[in-house]
Structure formats: structure tokens, C-alpha cells
Amino acid sequence: MVDRQRLIERMRAVLGPGGVIAERNQLRTYECDGLAAFRVVPALVVLPETTEQVQGAVRVCHEEGVPFVARGSGTGLSGGALPVSDGVLIVLSRMRRILEIDYDDQRAVVEPGVINLWVTKEVAPRGYYYAPDPSSQLICSIGGNVAENSGGAHCLKYGFTTNHVTGLEIVLPDGDLVHLGGKAPDPPGYDLVGAFVGSEGTLGIATKVTLRLLRKPEAVRTLMAAFESADAAGDAVSKIIAAGIVPAAVEIMDALAMEAAEAAVHVHYPEGAGAVLIVELDGPEAECTHQFEEVERLCQEAGSTTIQIAEDDDQRALFWKGRKSAFAAVGRISPDYYVQDGVIPRTALGAVLREIADMAEERGLRVANVFHAGDGNLHPLVLYDGDVEGEEERAEELAAKILFACLALGGSITGEHGVGADKKKYMPKQFTADDLDVMQLLRCAFDPDGRCNPGKVFPTPRLCGETPGKRHVHPAEQPGLVEAV
Amino acid sequence: MREAGPTDAVDGAQPRAVVSPSSTTETAEVLRAAYEGGFRTVVRGGGSKLGLGNPPAGVDLVLSTERLGRVLEHAAGDLVVRVEAGVRLADLQAALAPAGQLLGLDPPEARATVGGVVAANASGPRRLRYGTVRDLLIGITVVLADGTVAHSGGKVVKNVAGYDLGKLFAGSLGTLGVIVEAIFRLHPAPAATAVATAEVAAPGQAGSAVRALLASALVPSAIELDWPGPDGPGTLTVLFEGIGPGVDAQAANTARLLADAGTPGARVLLDGEPGQGGEAGLGGGADRGGEATRAAAALGALPWEAGQLGVKVATGPSGLPGALATVWEVAAAHGLAARATAHAGTGVLRAGLDGGDATTLAAFVNGARERLAPAQAGLVVAEAPLEVKQGVDAWGPVGDALPLMRKVKQRFDPSGLLSPGRFVGGI
């Protein structure tokens, strides 16, 4: 049994009085992340400003046997930063310094609380940028991006967070500090940077992150092509890929998503279009110009009704603003909605869209579709009204069925939002028990006591050292401990 | 299964038997039996990287992937391929070529298999464009020491469900489990090739040229440096791949940019008529004979012969001139002849050393490592005669993460049966 008062005192000794939040009403601020459907008030929130303070806080947790959860800006959409009720929430938002920019080696070293877009803003005057661009990049933190292996619209060509992190300083669940990778390529030993990125905060807390910087491309060309249906837009994407073109980004929005975005940001989508396709190419001028003409031609061949070409950066920004605001904009046309994050092999796009439409119709629900079409990452937004009896349950059931459809087509339950608390129950549908057990081996190497973000990712946490096949409820998951703290 | 002969030895360790399973299930059965019998197992693909790492502490069984040789699924429309570990990389590239696609890995070893490339994290000149194994591997199937079969990732490029075991296994040199299947993302094969090449007199001059290239908006597939000896000069080669007009313009711009950066006289090699370019160098594509294509195919050769000492120094681009100068100086101090090549755009230097006995070569490794350490540049022995390896650690220090790496090994292979002793810190 942990004495809460003792825990508070020990944390204050590490972080100072301003670094510890213990007041019930203030704790409530942190009860959820971007997935508001899950809410848990943590026992305590701490706000470290230095690596030493993170270490100190984690060491206290380790010594007191208290679970902890790390949180960045709290924009995650899978409940990955959902607190544990008898645990400590370690909020990294005060660690927001850009520590070093090395243009010659194209690296930046930043603290975890640094906002994604700040990195690009910092290096843009010298002609560089940081590639992964989640829709939340104005507010999401690099530490959160590392935990979730965040994606974004431009990941088709340039890869995800995991392809852009070369080094990490991490605090292990026992408080030890470890340095993984660095600025130089091919560090000898296991690629623990690769294992850590995307581990959803279950292996430790990153306190420094070394990022790759990319040189801004010479040319960027963007078009928005209207189609009668999302299916037809999908055909255009297939033709583009078959022509050997790798666009920087390929996005599709269907009519309902356009309606929502139009209401929010006035992009002036073509009247009556069933879907729009946004294609962006970048690279050397000659190549970009040539391929852009080809993309235009292929869109026409696929039956595009109108094609708008971004005349300048402002218009390009407007195209993207419509796309990136689509999730939030759906709030304008529906009181409630689920954001889903399934992945399919890109060529199965038409099939899955038809299936989603059929399933939605059966349940009398509407689904707005927004997707990263180049890599088959769907974001169906299941619209519902929580005030209508039974609608929420039907919406939840439809959201689940959509993921099962993705899996049946050889896809994944999550492309970029993470498993978190939300989708862990679906993990056994994608992976075998042995797959999950072997993943647990990695977890046990980092966190043998299971205190680091417990209850996320894996459906049935196991105590390390158990033999496979015998599963028990982890003590941190048992009810009762909560009240004691 | 057959009895092992002297040619099956791994860095002096003589196995008792060689076993060649033909499926994941058979591989699992073999490993389970080895686990129960306490047999130490080393995995062998094409055999091209058996000299990497430290000599094994002992080996009872060589598990050859030669019969895991099927390309299981090439989803061309999705730019994804699923292959068994024993498929030779060259054969895979040949299978992908008719669809106009390639796997963006081009290590120099002709015999390399897919599983070996992943396990050794092998790379080549085009890593500047496509990245390395960790960037291209999207799914993996492995068999652990006790015969447990596990998958991670999948057939979709974008996927964050579960831990990324592919990254953990990339470069793990057979110490965590046996890779039986891999899924990769593919890229369209470029239609055209162009090359700009120039002589550089000193490492510092090469460094300035590379810095200027990386700071430009040019998008080379590779920036390679070849330096036959300390007295120079070296040759800098910049490779462009893409569509005809695009690559020709970039190569011409490169010549101008290099002149401005203090390296005049670059030659621009083009393939001539559009469509003559090829994917040579990335596997089995036909050499369509253009000057640029021939120059591209010659890139990335190892600067050492079998039986010599070969080292790799990963510095990043800015550290390359210093590392190169260090290699020359330490080689000269030990009376050794040296030859170096580098993936200059990513900052990976390789050097071949010749002319001394085992003691001298080992002294070179330790001396160069010591000189390079302040610049955070690690030196890894990529190949060496056994007597040299017995005097040095092939990997060098790996810092404060070693205890964590040991814990990972302990969890995956608690009995220490897989490639014992070959990896960092004696893992």
C-alpha cells in the first residue's frame, strides 16, 4: 500500500512544490488525452523540467511501487496517455528546449515537450524542415510523436517518426538513464531506438530526441482533383502509383468530409463532387514538373471532373487546411463521432469503401471518410448522436467492424494513432498469442515490473518471468489499489 | 541435415552438423530440438557475413536458410513483397524488375540473402536515397531459440500496432532468433541514370564538396568517395536516378556546384537516349550499357579483399574528412597500406588494411578506435583474419545501453544458444 502523502512529499523533494499537482480539481485537467471517451484521474501529476527530475520522479515510482504514465501535449487519439488511477502522470510539456541544430549532419536534438512544428520553424530559414507532419503538428509534442510513431500526410514518400529519429536519451522504468543511437548512422548493437519509437510509452520516457532534418525540396506542386466517388479517386491513385510516381502526399476526402471541412475553413470544394483527391509532388524542378503533368493526365483518365492546381503557397496551405481540419470540422455536422484509424493494402481501397458504406447503411449511420490514400491508411469518422438511445453503441460496433474489415483485407487496426487503451482488445485479432508473448519479452527487458504505462497496447498483460500460456491479471490492474493511494 | 565439414566453420568454430529446413514449421522444429539438446546454433544465409562480429564462443549447429528460397507474394500495386529469408537479394531484384520495381538495398556482397542482409543490417551506396533495412522492412517472421514462431508488422507500409520487432532483429546478427520471412516496401525502378564524378585532392576538399551537395536542393541517390591510398587523389561520384531530363539536369548542376565548392573539372556521364538507363547495381537488372549506368554499377565495391582487415567507421557526413585522415595516419604509423571508400552522403567510411601481421592489424584497430572516440565515431571490424579478431573486439564500446541490450538478449534467448559471443559486449 502506498501512502499518498508520502508520495507527494517525495515528489516535491524531487520537483519542488511547483512541479507537483495533487489537488483533485487540478488533477481532473489531466484525466484524458485526445480520446475523451476514456477518463481516469491520476493520483498525482508531476511536471519535470529536466532529465534529472524525470529520473528522480521515475525512481520514486520505482521505489514506491507506483505505476506511471508519460504525457506530452495530450493530443493522442488512442488513449495512450490515459492516466492510471493509482499512478503518477509525468507531463513533459515543460521540457521544451531545442538543444542543438547541426546543419552539416542534418540533425536536431530536442527535448520531448518541443512542439512538432517548432522544429520546422526553427530550421526553415536555413532551408530545412522536419518531415513527419501529423494533423495536430501545431500542438503535438515530439515526445508524443516518438511514443506513437506518428505519421502524417507526407509520410508516403518520407516515412514516419521512426524513420526520422536517430537517437534517444531515455529514462528506464527503474530510473536509469540510457543513451540509444545518436547523430551518426549504424550504431553497433541492437536497434533499441527502433524498438522504442512507437512503443506507446511502455518502455520508458524519452528525455532527449535526435531528429533528422531534411532539405526543403526545390519544387512543390499540389493539385486537388474532384471525382464522382471515392472509388474513382482511388482508381486515380492506383494509376499514379502504377506509373512509378511516388508523390509526397496523396489524400482523399469523401463528400461528407468535404461538407464538414467546407463549413469550417471554406476551401471551395467543387459543387456536387463525391470525393476530392489531393496530390502533392515535390523534388527537383524538372522531375516534379514532368511528373505533375503525368498526374494531371492520369486524374483525367480516371474520370476527374475538375482539377484545381495550387497557384501559390497560400492556396496549397488552404488545400491542406481543409484536409487537416477535417476531424475537428466533423463536429460541425454531427454532435458526436468516432475517429477510426485502419489500414488496408492500398489496392483494396474500393473494396473496403463499399463495405464501409454497406455496413453504415445497415445501421442507419453516416461515415465520413478521410484517408491517406497512398499508404492505405483510412480514417473513417463514424457520426452519431449520443443523445439518441442506442446510437453510440451502434456507432462503436460499426467502428469495430470497420477494423475487422481492414484485417480481413490483410491490413492493420492502426496506422498512426496507436493501440493505446482504445484498441488493445483488438490486438488478438491481428496477432497470435505467441506474437504478443514475444513482444512482451521486449517489454520485460525494459520494464520487468510492468509499471510503465500499464494497461496499454496489450490486452492481457503478463508478469515477466511467467511461462507462456499462463496469464494472470497484473497487480497494477486489480481494482482496490486505487483507493489506497 | 548433414555432418559439418571444415568449410562450415564459423570464424574457427567447428559445428557438428548443418541443417537446412525448408519451411517456418521445420525451422521451428529444428530450433526446438536444438533448444532441448542445448545445441548452439549459428544461422547462415549466403555466408557473406559470417566473418562479421566476434568469433562465436562455440557452435554445434549451422542452420542454413538455403531451402527457404521462395518469393511468397509480390503485391506490385501495393509496392510490397513478402519473401523467405534464404532468397538471394540479386534473385529478388530480378523477380521484381519485370514490374518496374526494386528493393532499395544494394549491399556489395553478391551472395547475400534477404535474411542475411536484414540480420547484418547490410547497406550500399543508395542508402542515401532509400535508407537502410530499418526503413524498408515492414514485417518479419522469426523463430526464437525455443522454437516459438512470432510475427510483427505486416503487409501494409503504415502500421503502428504492437512493437516493431523488425527493427529489433535488423542488425542483430542471429543472436535473438532466426529470421524466416521478411516483408519489404518497394520503390519504382528509375528510368534513367546520370552521374557526375570529380577528383578530390584532400579529405578536407571532399568534405566541402559533400557539404555543398547536401545543403543543395539536389536529390542524389548516392554520394560515393573512393580513395585508393593516402597520397590521393580520391574520386567523388554523385549518382542521380529518376526520369531522363531530371537526372541529366541534376548531374549538370552538380558539376557547377562542385566547381563553386572548390572542386572543378567534374565529368558528367549520361546514358544518352532516354530509356537507356537501367537498374544495374540493384540486383539483376540488365545493364543497358550507358556510360552512367556502368559507372553506377561500379559503385560501392568493398575496399578490401577476402582475408584482409576491413573496418567500417560511421561518423555522419561532417566527421568523414577527419575520420579519413585518422585512418591514413594510424595506418601509416603501423606501416600498413590502406584503401578507403565511403558512402559520403551518409558518412559511412570503409577501409581495407593490408601489409602487416595480426598483431599490427589489431594495433591499428585499437589505435584508430582510440583516436576516433572523441569524435563519437565508432569503428567496427567488418572482416578480419581470425588471428586479428582474437586480439580485438569487433564492435568496440556501445555505451551505457549495453546492460539493456544484455537484458533483451536474456529475454529472447535465455540459454544463450544463438550465435553466442558474436555480438556487442560478448552477447
Side-chain angles (χ1 to χ4, degrees):
Chain A
M1 293 294 164
V2 177
D3 178 340
R4 184 167 187 262
Q5 199 50 44
R6 187 177 126 106
L7 188 63
I8 292 169
E9 275 160 27
R10 290 201 64 185
M11 286 298 182
R12 282 190 178 142
V14 171
L15 297 133
V20 180
I21 294 174
E23 169 61 35
R24 179 85 188 167
N25 284 335
Q26 286 178 293
L27 290 174
R28 204 171 273 287
T29 312
Y30 296 95
E31 68 183 358
C32 68
D33 60 9
L35 184 69
F38 292 80
R39 290 169 195 270
V40 174
V41 179
L44 211 59
V45 169
V46 298
L47 296 147
E49 293 177 14
T50 63
T51 295
E52 292 71 30
Q53 287 185 347
V54 175
Q55 267 190 286
V58 169
R59 208 168 271 140
V60 169
C61 290
H62 178 65
E63 286 163 9
E64 300 288 341
V66 174
F68 63 91
V69 177
R71 172 185 161 121
S73 299
T75 56
L77 293 169
S78 59
L82 182 72
V84 180
S85 61
D86 59 345
V88 176
L89 188 71
I90 301 178
V91 179
L92 282 310
S93 54
R94 288 186 182 171
M95 292 180 66
R96 43 175 58 190
R97 288 177 302 164
I98 294 176
L99 299 169
E100 186 192 348
I101 307 280
D102 176 348
Y103 288 104
D104 284 345
D105 287 323
Q106 306 186 330
R107 296 287 186 273
V109 182
V110 307
E111 290 186 329
V114 165
I115 302 301
N116 173 295
L117 197 59
W118 293 358
V119 181
T120 290
K121 282 193 170 153
E122 180 76 19
V123 300
R126 291 277 297 264
Y128 290 85
Y129 72 111
Y130 175 62
D133 62 337
S135 293
S136 54
Q137 70 182 137
L138 274 169
I139 44 170
C140 66
S141 70
I142 293 293
N145 291 174
V146 167
E148 300 298 315
N149 186 17
S150 302
H154 290 79
C155 291
L156 173 62
K157 183 170 177 181
Y158 294 105
F160 317 96
T161 301
T162 189
N163 307 107
H164 295 270
V165 173
T166 64
L168 291 169
E169 176 188 87
I170 61 170
V171 174
L172 291 174
D174 60 5
D176 278 359
L177 193 68
V178 169
H179 297 82
L180 309 175
K183 286 201 252 177
D186 302 354
Y190 297 129
D191 182 0
L192 298 184
V193 172
F196 190 91
V197 176
S199 61
E200 306 197 27
T202 60
L203 300 182
I205 300 180
T207 47
K208 281 195 188 84
V209 187
T210 305
L211 304 171
R212 280 174 71 202
L213 301 173
L214 297 191
R215 186 72 174 76
K216 266 191 209 159
E218 188 178 23
V220 183
R221 300 268 189 287
T222 313
L223 65 71
M224 188 160 71
F227 290 86
E228 276 183 9
S229 66
D231 219 350
D235 279 348
V237 178
S238 291
K239 286 186 198 301
I240 291 165
I241 302 285
I245 296 170
V246 181
V250 184
E251 300 285 309
I252 294 177
M253 296 168 70
D254 73 1
L256 205 50
M258 273 189 281
E259 183 190 325
E262 185 67 47
V265 294
H266 314 297
V267 185
H268 304 302
Y269 294 108
E271 286 286 322
V276 286
L277 170 68
I278 301 172
V279 183
E280 188 159 291
L281 299 185
D282 68 14
E285 186 77 50
E287 187 167 309
C288 203
T289 304
H290 178 89
Q291 293 196 325
F292 195 67
E293 285 166 10
E294 212 173 333
V295 167
E296 242 186 294
R297 187 176 58 75
L298 293 168
C299 285
Q300 280 161 356
E301 254 182 50
S304 175
T305 47
T306 51
I307 296 178
Q308 287 173 267
I309 293 167
E311 303 275 342
D312 51 29
D313 285 348
D314 288 345
Q315 200 177 359
R316 176 174 307 112
L318 185 63
F319 287 0
W320 282 116
K321 198 173 171 194
R323 165 61 188 85
K324 292 198 173 187
S325 64
F327 289 4
V330 164
R332 290 175 179 254
I333 60 167
S334 175
D336 302 292
Y337 60 94
Y338 271 114
V339 180
Q340 207 45 292
D341 178 40
V343 192
I344 47 153
R346 201 188 39 73
T347 45
L349 194 62
V352 82
L353 285 177
R354 282 187 291 276
E355 202 170 338
I356 291 172
D358 289 349
M359 291 192 298
E361 201 182 319
E362 273 172 35
R363 290 164 181 79
L365 293 168
R366 295 187 301 167
V367 176
N369 282 296
V370 178
F371 32 85
H372 306 302
D375 44 33
N377 187 192
L378 313 172
H379 292 307
L381 298 143
V382 180
L383 314 189
Y384 69 95
D385 183 347
D387 289 340
V388 175
E389 169 125 17
E391 209 166 272
E392 184 173 356
E393 289 71 26
R394 270 182 294 145
E396 196 180 343
E397 192 239 335
L398 174 58
K401 284 278 161 60
I402 290 173
L403 290 188
F404 301 158
C406 291
L407 288 178
L409 291 162
S412 170
I413 58 171
T414 174
E416 56 185 2
H417 295 172
V419 176
D422 189 31
K423 289 184 282 280
K424 61 177 179 172
K425 57 182 178 287
Y426 305 135
M427 286 290 276
K429 296 212 176 275
Q430 183 166 347
F431 296 105
T432 67
D434 279 349
D435 296 346
L436 296 173
D437 283 347
V438 171
M439 290 179 192
Q440 284 288 328
L441 295 176
L442 183 67
R443 169 69 173 276
C444 291
F446 279 74
D447 181 21
D449 302 323
R451 288 209 190 89
C452 189
N453 208 8
K456 312 291 166 61
V457 186
F458 298 102
T460 45
R462 290 229 323 272
L463 291 175
C464 296
E466 282 182 82
T467 46
K470 290 185 216 148
R471 291 185 176 74
H472 303 285
V473 176
H474 190 279
E477 288 218 316
Q478 265 164 359
L481 283 177
V482 180
E483 289 76 10
V485 175
Chain B
M1 181 147 158
R2 63 169 172 82
E3 206 173 308
T7 55
D8 296 309
V10 183
D11 261 345
Q14 179 60 47
R16 287 189 274 165
V18 178
V19 60
S20 311
S22 66
S23 67
T24 297
T25 312
E26 277 184 25
T27 307
E29 282 165 10
V30 166
L31 284 171
R32 197 171 301 123
Y35 180 74
E36 281 158 12
F39 302 136
R40 295 158 299 180
T41 304
V42 169
V43 192
R44 183 172 75 197
S48 60
K49 282 281 199 280
L50 277 182
L52 183 60
N54 293 315
V59 51
D60 302 302
L61 197 63
V62 163
L63 192 156
S64 165
T65 60
E66 64 196 336
R67 291 172 69 212
L68 295 168
R70 293 174 300 165
V71 176
L72 298 167
E73 189 181 354
H74 175 203
D78 295 313
L79 287 160
V80 164
V81 72
R82 187 163 70 95
V83 287
E84 289 186 325
V87 173
R88 284 179 196 254
L89 183 60
D91 294 341
L92 175 60
Q93 302 288 17
L96 300 171
Q101 297 181 355
L102 57 81
L103 171 59
L105 293 169
D106 60 342
E109 298 86 359
R111 290 179 294 159
T113 59
V114 163
V117 167
V118 172
N121 187 24
S123 63
R126 288 167 184 80
R127 59 179 288 162
L128 182 62
R129 179 187 184 114
Y130 300 112
T132 53
V133 169
R134 74 192 303 287
D135 301 297
L136 299 166
L137 183 71
I138 60 170
I140 195 164
T141 304
V142 296
V143 184
L144 301 197
D146 65 359
T148 305
V149 178
H151 317 76
S152 103
K155 290 195 292 181
V156 286
V157 169
K158 200 170 189 181
N159 184 1
V160 296
Y163 293 152
D164 190 345
L165 298 181
K167 295 230 176 15
L168 188 65
F169 274 75
S172 64
L173 208 66
T175 58
L176 297 179
V178 177
I179 299 162
V180 286
E181 219 180 281
I183 309 177
F184 295 99
R185 71 174 294 188
L186 304 172
H187 284 87
T193 302
V195 165
T197 178
E199 216 170 70
V200 277
Q205 187 193 348
S208 305
V210 171
R211 187 162 62 235
L213 284 165
L214 292 176
S216 77
L218 295 164
V219 187
S221 288
I223 304 174
E224 293 288 295
L225 194 58
D226 181 13
W227 218 297
D231 301 327
T235 306
L236 187 68
T237 304
V238 189
L239 170 68
F240 294 96
E241 293 171 317
I243 57 168
V247 296
D248 292 1
Q250 288 203 79
N253 290 340
T254 298
R256 280 193 289 276
L257 181 131
L258 288 177
D260 290 345
T263 300
R267 289 204 309 138
V268 173
L269 311 179
L270 306 175
D271 275 350
E273 292 303 304
Q276 272 200 322
E279 60 278 11
L282 266 174
D287 181 350
R288 276 169 273 182
E291 209 181 359
T293 302
R294 279 197 301 277
L299 289 175
L302 294 170
W304 60 77
E305 309 284 329
Q308 291 181 343
L309 170 64
V311 300
K312 171 178 157 182
V313 184
T315 63
S318 73
L320 197 58
L324 192 52
T326 300
V327 167
W328 297 145
E329 282 169 32
V330 180
H334 290 89
L336 297 170
R339 180 187 180 96
T341 61
H343 307 312
T346 42
V348 178
L349 174 75
R350 292 176 305 188
L353 286 304
D354 194 23
D357 60 14
T359 315
T360 313
L361 291 167
F364 167 84
V365 170
N366 291 324
R369 199 169 261 163
E370 198 174 306
R371 287 272 308 274
L372 289 162
Q376 314 254 307
L379 181 148
V380 170
V381 176
E383 188 167 326
L386 184 57
E387 314 83 71
V388 178
K389 284 191 173 185
Q390 283 159 346
V392 298
D393 172 11
W395 302 100
V398 293
D400 59 13
L402 184 59
L404 186 57
M405 291 180 189
R406 286 195 205 283
K407 287 178 188 166
V408 172
K409 167 72 174 181
Q410 172 67 26
R411 292 284 173 184
F412 278 76
D413 177 21
S415 309
L417 293 175
L418 299 178
S419 295
R422 287 183 77 195
F423 207 44
V424 297
I427 287 175

